[in-house]
Amino acid sequence: MSHNLYWPVYQNLEKEFLSICDIIHVDDAQLDVYSMKIAELLIRTVVEIESLAKNLYFSNGGSKPDDKDLYFDTDCMALLVDIWGIDKKVVLVSSPNIFLTEETNLILTPLHKSNKRGSSSADWCKAYQAVKHNRVKELKRGNLNHFLRALAALYILNLYFKDDKVNFITPGKDQFQDFSFGSQIFSVLKPNNISSFSTNGTYPKGADFEKHVYVAIPDNAKYQEVVDLLNEKNNIVQQTLINELQIGISNGEISPDQDSISKFLTERRRSISNDVFRRSASVIGQKTMNMSYTAELNKNQAFFSTPPTK
């Protein structure tokens, strides 16, 4: 995408919100503050959401004609929910100039129900429709609460449109600290699917995978080195276990019945595994700490369920 027309507009809307913070002490109690100006900003924000959602729809396989029957919610957002689970992505309010304390106001899932219409849609979307069609009667719905959540929704869509990737090494040293990606108000969850490995070759998802806008993608060659090493050690554990079992049965120390065998395998596996992996801990640790990662958008990439190509 050669020209990003959306990000500068988003940044201007952020500045408008922060300018309000210079006048109003924005805390939990103040989110119901409304005005014609805030209602106008809400409308401008959702217009951007509609435009950006349509752009992402067509660039990601949307096939309906671009006419009056193409809807940003039940068509465009529905596609993004289907392919990316974008309705579950979490945004954190992290600006030092916004004094929120309640978790529901600090941790947002702004695109939840963004693919619905009418009374089932997101609250900021219902507020937008209300103030757009009847500004005088519905002015109270043009408030900071709805503006903030609409802005957070636009932030997520902008991140997916920009599709930035960030390289970082050794996550334990916190070399990748800025998760705002240029926002002065919001940030996203730190990728938590790092420093763990799946011996079947798939990439680990980490806890609350669906909430993360960004996930950590390890260098495939280095990742495979660690996986191969872990599999090698697991094979040693398994073979040692089998050898001990056979010897134990042959000399009469282990009864050949199923219960005795199961008990032996359970008791000895942990001990053998601890011994094998303790002797390899420094090598495995060094390879893990030197792993390089790329923070990429969480698009439910296939290699989280299918091993990547070697």
Side-chain angles (χ1 to χ4, degrees):
M1 299 178 182
S2 56
H3 297 289
N4 187 346
L5 303 178
Y6 297 101
W7 187 246
V9 176
Y10 169 78
Q11 288 181 308
N12 284 332
L13 288 165
E14 269 202 356
K15 289 177 183 176
E16 296 268 19
F17 191 98
L18 291 172
S19 69
I20 294 173
C21 295
D22 290 335
I23 303 169
I24 299 173
H25 183 83
V26 179
D27 59 16
D28 301 293
Q30 299 281 38
L31 288 179
D32 287 333
V33 170
Y34 66 95
S35 71
M36 285 291 287
K37 177 63 176 179
I38 297 171
E40 172 206 334
L41 291 169
L42 172 64
I43 291 172
R44 284 170 51 193
T45 301
V46 182
V47 167
E48 283 295 301
I49 289 173
E50 291 178 337
S51 179
L52 190 42
K54 183 182 292 187
N55 194 308
L56 287 168
Y57 171 81
F58 285 116
S59 62
N60 288 280
S63 58
K64 286 189 68 173
D66 187 6
D67 57 25
K68 62 182 179 63
D69 293 323
L70 178 68
Y71 298 101
F72 99 91
D73 40 29
T74 53
D75 292 320
C76 301
M77 289 306 307
L79 175 67
L80 303 183
V81 166
D82 183 53
I83 63 175
W84 294 335
I86 204 167
D87 58 324
K88 297 181 177 66
K89 301 298 177 274
V90 167
V91 169
L92 310 176
V93 181
S94 52
S95 171
N97 297 320
I98 301 175
F99 303 94
L100 303 172
T101 57
E102 293 182 11
E103 185 174 306
T104 54
N105 294 327
L106 287 169
I107 304 174
L108 310 179
T109 313
L111 289 171
H112 179 58
K113 295 186 177 181
S114 60
N115 58 329
K116 306 293 183 181
R117 187 176 300 171
S119 59
S120 299
S121 64
D123 287 346
W124 55 261
C125 190
K126 289 185 285 188
Y128 158 72
Q129 294 291 346
V131 298
K132 183 176 71 170
H133 293 294
N134 195 334
R135 192 79 55 88
V136 174
K137 181 180 177 182
E138 301 289 351
L139 186 59
K140 286 186 177 181
R141 300 177 75 173
N143 57 41
L144 287 174
N145 184 45
H146 293 138
F147 178 29
L148 180 67
R149 282 160 169 74
L151 198 58
L154 183 57
Y155 172 61
I156 294 178
L157 292 178
N158 266 280
L159 292 181
Y160 274 86
F161 182 80
K162 292 199 299 177
D163 202 6
D164 288 338
K165 298 178 181 180
V166 180
N167 295 322
F168 62 110
I169 303 173
T170 316
K173 295 181 181 178
D174 291 327
Q175 291 179 325
F176 181 47
Q177 297 176 334
D178 184 5
F179 298 91
S180 65
F181 293 94
S183 172
Q184 297 184 67
I185 296 178
F186 305 112
S187 59
V188 297
L189 295 169
K190 177 180 180 179
N192 65 354
N193 61 321
I194 54 179
S195 299
S196 58
F197 300 85
S198 174
T199 52
N200 68 5
T202 59
Y203 292 156
K205 287 186 173 184
D208 297 323
F209 174 79
E210 71 282 354
K211 296 180 181 180
H212 286 255
V213 174
Y214 276 84
V215 288
I217 310 299
D219 175 270
N220 189 46
K222 292 182 178 180
Y223 182 82
Q224 196 59 48
E225 281 184 18
V226 177
V227 169
D228 291 343
L229 182 58
L230 292 174
N231 279 323
E232 176 190 325
K233 301 307 173 186
N234 282 328
N235 289 337
I236 292 174
V237 171
Q238 187 64 22
Q239 191 58 53
T240 302
L241 199 58
I242 291 172
N243 292 342
E244 288 191 5
L245 176 62
Q246 291 174 339
I247 292 171
I249 291 176
S250 65
N251 63 22
E253 293 178 358
I254 302 172
S255 174
D257 64 90
Q258 189 61 47
D259 288 342
S260 297
I261 292 174
S262 296
K263 181 180 179 181
F264 169 81
L265 293 176
T266 300
E267 291 176 349
R268 283 295 292 150
R269 185 182 302 277
R270 181 184 296 275
S271 177
I272 295 171
S273 181
N274 287 342
D275 182 56
V276 169
F277 281 94
R278 184 174 60 251
R279 284 183 272 125
S280 305
S282 61
V283 176
I284 295 172
Q286 189 64 37
K287 287 182 178 293
T288 301
M289 290 303 295
N290 289 333
M291 184 68 63
S292 58
Y293 293 84
T294 303
E296 296 185 13
L297 285 170
N298 184 356
K299 297 181 179 179
N300 297 323
Q301 292 93 326
F303 43 67
F304 284 109
S305 56
T306 304
T309 303
K310 291 186 179 181

